[in-house]
Amino acid sequence: MNLSKGFHLANKYYPLLLVPIIFDLLQLGNILRNAQGFTLKLTIPSALPSITQVMNTANQGTDTFNINLPYGYLGHGFLAVLIVILYLLAGAFFKGGFLGCILAGINEQEVSVSTYIQAGKQYFGRFLAQSLLMLTLLLAAALFLIAIGPLALILMIGFFILAFYLIFWDYVIVAENAGLIEAAQISLALVQSGLGKVFLFLIPIVLITALLGIIANGLIAALPILAILAIALYAYFGTAVVFAIMTFYLDISGREAGSDFTA
């Protein structure tokens, strides 16, 4: 029911699709280079959906969110650092605005450019801190994985489990106007108390995302111009999933819809 409502809301607030579409078009060159005829990834769209999550690329986060960095610019000196900084700043603002509009739409409040800007400014600091934290952890984990060798698989399983328990992290920050630590604690406790419900909710999303990823990679590999279609399809599905996850969180947390996200 939550997923079907997510599609209904994605249709109703379709201008929101422009946000993930624009972010992916900025990485179009990398997307074209990394597309393969068959790529299977078991993941879910992040709070700011990106088709790069289902591409044959290095991970830029966890299965629940990404950091919005352009792969192709990494490792090119000053320009790379500048672009990474710009993407971190833009990603934090646009994620906050996107989730703020998602919550406003669920609560049947105004969803407009001013709503987006207001939410983007309100949550900018927290999502920027989150991205910096995750980027630091990813770099540290990469070095640690190299050091421990065969034990790396155990650490990767640990990261996967942690990502599962933090599934609501982004959503709690916005829905509850919570800080990073508080939001993480709420997500951990909520998943722990409703483990079965959360797992059953995510299974169809993971399967559909995997199927869509195969289709998207196939389209891009077959004809580069179809990358735009693939990006648009993933943006639509990803936005519907974000609506669904926010709705699901509100349902299982017992939070009443209708409150103003700026409160």
Side-chain angles (χ1 to χ4, degrees):
M1 180 177 293
N2 294 109
L3 189 54
S4 62
K5 184 176 181 180
F7 280 108
H8 170 73
L9 290 169
N11 291 331
K12 183 177 181 180
Y13 300 106
Y14 63 89
L16 282 175
L17 303 182
L18 290 174
V19 180
I21 288 175
I22 289 172
F23 261 96
D24 279 346
L25 287 178
L26 291 174
Q27 301 190 68
L28 184 58
N30 300 298
I31 290 171
L32 293 175
R33 282 191 294 271
N34 288 294
Q36 294 185 350
F38 182 88
T39 299
L40 176 64
K41 281 195 173 183
L42 299 178
T43 185
I44 64 172
S46 59
L48 184 56
S50 173
I51 198 173
T52 58
Q53 283 189 287
V54 292
M55 304 292 293
N56 184 34
T57 55
N59 201 0
Q60 293 189 55
T62 70
D63 290 326
T64 56
F65 62 90
N66 58 7
I67 308 177
N68 295 309
L69 298 180
Y71 296 100
Y73 296 116
L74 300 182
H76 296 287
F78 175 77
L79 180 61
V81 174
L82 178 61
I83 292 178
V84 165
I85 292 173
L86 290 176
Y87 263 75
L88 285 172
L89 295 173
F93 176 82
F94 282 103
K95 182 193 282 189
F98 191 75
L99 285 176
C101 286
I102 291 289
L103 183 60
I106 292 173
N107 291 340
E108 298 183 353
Q109 297 167 344
E110 179 185 8
V111 177
S112 63
V113 174
S114 62
T115 305
Y116 200 108
I117 293 174
Q118 184 179 4
K121 291 191 297 184
Q122 180 169 342
Y123 304 111
F124 170 77
R126 276 168 277 186
F127 282 124
L128 178 59
Q130 184 196 60
S131 293
L132 291 173
L133 173 63
M134 291 308 303
L135 186 59
T136 302
L137 290 176
L138 285 172
L139 292 175
L143 296 175
F144 190 59
L145 287 173
I146 295 174
I148 63 177
L151 297 178
L153 179 60
I154 298 176
L155 183 61
M156 291 176 66
I157 293 174
F159 275 121
F160 177 81
I161 295 173
L162 179 61
F164 175 74
Y165 274 85
L166 290 176
I167 182 71
F168 299 117
W169 194 11
D170 293 335
Y171 299 86
V172 176
I173 289 174
V174 174
E176 309 293 349
N177 197 15
L180 285 185
I181 303 301
E182 180 187 1
Q185 291 173 335
I186 291 174
S187 181
L188 289 167
L190 195 60
V191 173
Q192 180 63 37
S193 63
L195 192 59
K197 289 182 180 179
V198 175
F199 190 72
L200 291 176
F201 168 72
L202 291 179
I203 286 177
I205 294 177
V206 170
L207 295 177
I208 297 173
T209 303
L211 177 60
L212 186 60
I214 293 172
I215 295 173
N217 279 276
L219 287 173
I220 300 170
L223 193 62
I225 192 62
L226 293 179
I228 298 176
L229 174 60
I231 288 171
L233 286 173
Y234 193 83
Y236 171 64
F237 174 72
T239 301
V241 168
V242 175
F243 268 117
I245 294 176
M246 182 69 85
T247 302
F248 182 72
Y249 166 72
L250 296 173
D251 287 345
I252 66 172
S253 65
R255 187 178 184 277
E256 293 184 2
S259 60
D260 190 345
F261 72 89
T262 61

